[in-house]
Amino acid sequence: MKPVNVFSLLQAKSSLNEEGFKAYLQHHEIEIKDAELNDLSAFAVTLRGAGASVQDLNNFYIGYKVPQIGKEFDLLKFCRDSIINIEIKSNSVAAKIHAQLLRNKYYLGFIGRTIYAFTFVSSSGKLYFLDTAEQLVEITPVQLQGILSKQVADETNEPDLLFNPSDYLVSPFNSTAKFLAGQYFLTHQQEDFKVQILNSINAAAGTCFTAITGSAGTGKTLLTFDIAKHLLASGKKVLIIHCGQLNNGHRALIEAGWTICPIKNYKIHNVATFDAILIDEAQRIYQNQLNDIVAAASSAKCACIFSYDKIQTLASWEARNDSAGKIDSIASIARYKLSEKIRTNKEIANFIKLIFNNKKTAHAHTGKNIQINYFDNIEDAKAYLNSLNDAEWEVLRFTPSQYYKEHHENYFDALSKTSHQVIGQEFDGVAIALDQFFQYNDAGELIYNGNAYYEPTKMLFQNITRARRRLNLVVIGNRVLLDRCLAILK
């Protein structure tokens, strides 16, 4: 997206023919409606009347969206020491203006510059400002012009590089304190689904079954636990059943008063005493467990929410069980599918698609997001993995069999977290080892030719999708996989 002078944009609108103005907008990658242009024109006229010069409204991004998040700003200007955000409304009330500017400040605050946040209401001609105490105050156009005239635009940065999408997806497990303190926001899609689900629960006379689905990185867990948090705050009794091993985040929530149990212990709780049951990572639930919970919820007439991703299974028998399909077939279940991928870095997300199928020909252009290290010696590979800084990298290993030793145990430290232990979690940096048994079949799909109780390709997908910012792949004696990784990153 390209910045533009606001006066230039408006004069292009008034003087160019439709085709010419459309080309002008396309050049700057701007999408704006006529009604929005009218409000923007009212703002420019107001500023001009306050003595604003052409340069005061230079270098503004119109309708800028944070990558992968979809958070949009009407007017945004990046300066050397500050960021100017101006929202343009035809009509609004103070409470909504205040809430939006607080949210905008939160998103922009991660960049580390002073934030000047304003709202202009065209119907009244009034200007509002979020002051240093985060209170909403009315200001004059002259005051706004004074602030604009003192800021020096920073034309060296690409805005997309200033934002890290992973900053905005707070994990209830890995950022539990922030989650409990409410220091996060939901995406528009998450917020919309939350409202619909809560409305359905409140309106239901009997059992209300709900399914929240989505691929890795879409924020299923955050939405699910945010709904639980909202229900708890409203006085409801909530039981969360996790289809896996409890992690430190779960334990912190339990200490904060939440009722959470692993699926193996679900029978110790009397479902009839709860207003809502939330089953997380439900794609791993057994058929008998699912039947018990559905029957208990129906009898108790409580809300029952399943959160799952059918792809995130760790064994072939889990996939064959098709728990996701069985949940989907529950009578009258309401389905909500999250489609906005927000956790994973774009380059990493693209790399994951390409490494799992060598027939795809696109490239994943990266800076320092993905590292490739090759070793021909297992002991050296293990020493390298053990040498990684714990503060920067989470080394994830495959879950070993309980019955016999598997090859991958030779290069992983037994203290590293397993695929089963990191279900639903996320880490800034993830390191993973790939041995010589990973190969591609004739269809181009990544397969594993060694012996393993759990399915290594599924565990690899589980582990690799835990990465929020950086990925470190340690390839051991596998030239085919090394060549594929290098070709993707060419």
Side-chain angles (χ1 to χ4, degrees):
M1 191 174 195
K2 299 178 179 65
V4 68
N5 183 286
V6 174
F7 289 120
S8 170
L9 174 68
L10 294 171
Q11 289 176 29
K13 169 62 177 174
S14 63
S15 61
L16 298 177
N17 60 27
E18 184 177 347
E19 184 179 348
F21 183 61
K22 183 178 180 180
Y24 185 89
L25 291 178
Q26 288 177 339
H27 171 74
H28 291 91
E29 300 174 56
I30 295 173
E31 295 181 8
I32 189 168
K33 299 176 183 177
D34 286 343
E36 294 169 336
L37 281 166
N38 291 336
D39 292 333
L40 185 61
S41 178
F43 168 72
V45 169
T46 299
L47 263 289
R48 181 76 92 176
S53 64
V54 171
Q55 56 264 39
D56 287 336
L57 291 183
N58 199 24
N59 288 304
F60 272 92
Y61 289 86
I62 312 292
Y64 177 81
K65 292 181 180 179
V66 178
Q68 295 175 247
I69 301 296
K71 169 60 184 172
E72 185 172 351
F73 301 88
D74 289 345
L75 295 179
L76 207 57
K77 182 174 183 175
F78 298 91
C79 303
R80 291 179 183 174
D81 302 309
S82 64
I83 299 174
I84 297 171
N85 167 225
I86 304 171
E87 295 299 312
I88 310 294
K89 304 292 181 187
S90 56
N91 288 286
S92 193
V93 295
K96 287 187 176 181
I97 292 172
H98 191 205
Q100 183 181 34
L101 293 186
L102 284 173
R103 180 181 293 239
N104 289 4
K105 184 177 179 181
Y106 168 81
Y107 279 103
L108 297 170
F110 285 94
I111 296 176
R113 303 180 191 181
T114 301
I115 309 300
Y116 295 102
F118 307 87
T119 294
F120 173 77
V121 182
S122 64
S123 60
S124 64
K126 290 184 177 181
L127 271 166
Y128 297 91
F129 173 59
L130 193 66
D131 66 16
T132 54
E134 296 192 338
Q135 297 300 307
L136 188 69
V137 297
E138 187 176 344
I139 63 169
T140 66
V142 173
Q143 288 175 296
L144 172 57
Q145 188 277 328
I147 293 173
L148 291 174
S149 65
K150 294 176 183 177
Q151 307 309 309
V152 179
D154 181 358
E155 301 180 44
T156 61
N157 280 321
E158 292 183 37
D160 287 3
L161 301 180
L162 298 176
F163 293 94
N164 192 325
S166 61
D167 287 332
Y168 309 112
L169 184 62
V170 170
S171 167
F173 306 146
N174 303 98
S175 309
T176 311
K178 284 186 176 182
F179 172 74
L180 288 172
Q183 296 176 359
Y184 63 93
F185 287 107
L186 302 181
T187 65
H188 291 302
Q189 187 181 46
Q190 288 173 321
E191 193 70 56
D192 180 47
F193 285 177
K194 173 185 174 180
V195 171
Q196 292 184 56
I197 291 169
L198 290 174
N199 286 343
S200 296
I201 291 174
N202 293 330
T207 307
C208 176
F209 288 108
T210 303
I212 298 174
T213 66
S215 59
T218 54
K220 294 182 305 299
T221 299
L222 177 59
L223 175 58
T224 302
F225 277 70
D226 179 73
I227 289 172
K229 185 180 176 186
H230 183 93
L231 292 171
L232 287 168
S234 65
K236 304 285 188 183
K237 289 195 66 178
V238 179
L239 169 64
I240 296 178
I241 300 173
H242 180 69
C243 298
Q245 304 174 30
L246 297 192
N247 55 51
N248 290 335
H250 285 124
R251 288 183 272 275
L253 290 170
I254 291 170
E255 289 179 7
W258 291 47
T259 305
I260 304 174
C261 73
I263 186 66
K264 64 181 181 180
N265 296 335
Y266 77 99
K267 285 189 176 181
I268 68 174
H269 295 283
N270 182 1
V271 171
T273 63
F274 293 93
D275 299 299
I277 309 169
L278 284 73
I279 302 92
D280 195 25
E281 303 294 339
Q283 74 275 3
R284 305 189 64 241
I285 197 170
Y286 291 142
Q287 179 67 60
N288 65 308
Q289 296 168 336
L290 176 61
N291 292 341
D292 284 350
I293 291 172
V294 170
S298 298
S299 176
K301 296 183 178 180
C302 65
C304 187
I305 299 175
F306 296 94
S307 176
Y308 58 93
D309 172 12
K310 66 178 182 180
I311 296 177
Q312 295 275 4
T313 54
L314 299 178
S316 56
W317 55 265
E318 286 182 341
R320 288 194 299 271
N321 282 347
D322 189 25
S323 295
K326 293 179 174 68
I327 294 169
D328 196 51
S329 66
I330 295 173
S332 73
I333 192 168
R335 304 171 189 85
Y336 299 86
K337 183 175 181 179
L338 291 164
S339 58
E340 299 173 356
K341 203 175 210 36
I342 57 179
R343 182 184 70 218
T344 314
N345 174 282
K346 267 187 177 179
E347 290 84 356
I348 293 178
N350 191 34
F351 180 84
I352 291 171
K353 292 178 184 178
L354 297 173
I355 197 174
F356 276 87
N357 192 313
N358 71 355
K359 298 293 186 184
K360 298 184 185 222
T361 56
H363 299 286
H365 300 288
T366 66
K368 298 179 180 179
N369 295 319
I370 300 176
Q371 295 183 27
I372 306 294
N373 290 280
Y374 179 81
F375 292 92
D376 199 41
N377 181 284
I378 287 179
E379 290 303 318
D380 287 345
K382 185 174 182 178
Y384 171 77
L385 287 166
N386 290 339
S387 73
L388 294 175
N389 189 327
D390 291 342
E392 296 181 5
W393 298 101
E394 192 72 44
V395 179
L396 302 183
R397 64 188 174 111
F398 301 139
T399 305
S401 168
Q402 300 178 49
Y403 310 108
Y404 50 84
K405 186 172 181 179
E406 298 172 339
H407 178 74
H408 59 80
E409 295 181 71
N410 293 320
Y411 50 80
F412 280 127
D413 190 304
L415 297 178
S416 298
K417 292 183 176 68
T418 68
S419 302
H420 283 74
Q421 290 173 325
V422 298
I423 291 172
Q425 296 192 67
E426 58 192 51
F427 309 95
D428 283 344
V430 167
I432 302 169
L434 303 167
D435 61 32
Q436 71 269 28
F437 294 109
F438 281 100
Q439 299 293 329
Y440 291 98
N441 63 19
D442 291 340
E445 299 166 337
L446 188 67
I447 60 172
Y448 193 77
N449 288 325
N451 293 321
Y453 180 77
Y454 296 104
E455 200 164 327
T457 53
K458 290 182 177 294
M459 291 190 287
L460 173 61
F461 185 78
Q462 169 72 213
N463 292 356
I464 205 170
T465 55
R466 301 305 95 200
R468 295 199 306 178
R469 298 187 181 185
R470 291 171 294 126
L471 187 61
N472 189 342
L473 290 184
V474 179
V475 182
I476 306 173
N478 191 328
R479 286 297 304 276
V480 171
L481 204 56
L482 175 65
D483 290 344
R484 177 57 178 165
C485 290
L486 296 177
I488 293 172
L489 300 176
K490 186 176 180 180

